[in-house]
Amino acid sequence: VQLQASGGGLVQAGGSLSVTCAASEGTLNIYDVGWFRQAPGKEREFVAAISWSGGTRYYADRVLGRFTTSRDNAKNTVTLHMNNLDPEDTAVYYCAAGELPTRVPDTYNYWGQGTLVTVSS
């Protein structure tokens, strides 16, 4: 499956933005999906994960209560909804697909190219 994250952009602190992961080839519906981000000069970090059914979701502590992830299997997409954004949320956001909704990047088999989210203060 080939993934593409989209919807990034520039937003002011305190604002909201959603990024969407879509499969350009194959189906996303059978995979668990993770969201990760990488800020300049920093390592890639876990943001959120959702199981293939949508019944299980995990969030990193620093985004809990501000970010939610959901999926629409009819549209073959997964979305990360980000609220109350902070400049520290500035990063390239990646979606990844695999067979477990984990916090560990290496457990995911397929990765999209990422989309840049910039939060201005």
Side-chain angles (χ1 to χ4, degrees):
V1 61
Q2 293 192 359
L3 306 178
Q4 179 64 52
S6 62
L10 176 64
V11 62
Q12 289 187 335
S16 300
L17 195 66
S18 294
V19 293
T20 297
C21 181
S24 57
E25 289 187 13
T27 178
L28 195 55
N29 302 346
I30 61 174
Y31 293 102
D32 301 314
V33 172
W35 288 98
F36 295 82
R37 67 186 182 185
Q38 188 164 18
K42 296 186 177 180
E43 294 186 353
R44 188 171 298 188
E45 65 172 354
F46 169 77
V47 176
I50 185 169
S51 61
W52 67 270
S53 67
T56 300
R57 308 177 197 197
Y58 300 112
Y59 298 96
D61 288 345
R62 62 178 61 195
V63 306
L64 189 63
R66 299 188 298 124
F67 292 13
T68 59
T69 187
S70 63
R71 66 191 305 158
D72 186 337
N73 283 344
K75 295 183 178 179
N76 211 18
T77 60
V78 177
T79 300
L80 181 69
H81 308 275
M82 302 179 288
N83 297 311
N84 194 20
L85 283 159
D86 184 271
E88 292 193 353
D89 295 316
T90 295
V92 176
Y93 283 73
Y94 299 89
C95 60
E99 298 182 0
L100 287 173
T102 78
R103 303 170 185 263
V104 181
D106 288 348
T107 61
Y108 292 89
N109 305 111
Y110 307 100
W111 288 80
Q113 290 191 339
T115 184
L116 176 63
V117 173
T118 304
V119 184
S120 63
S121 58

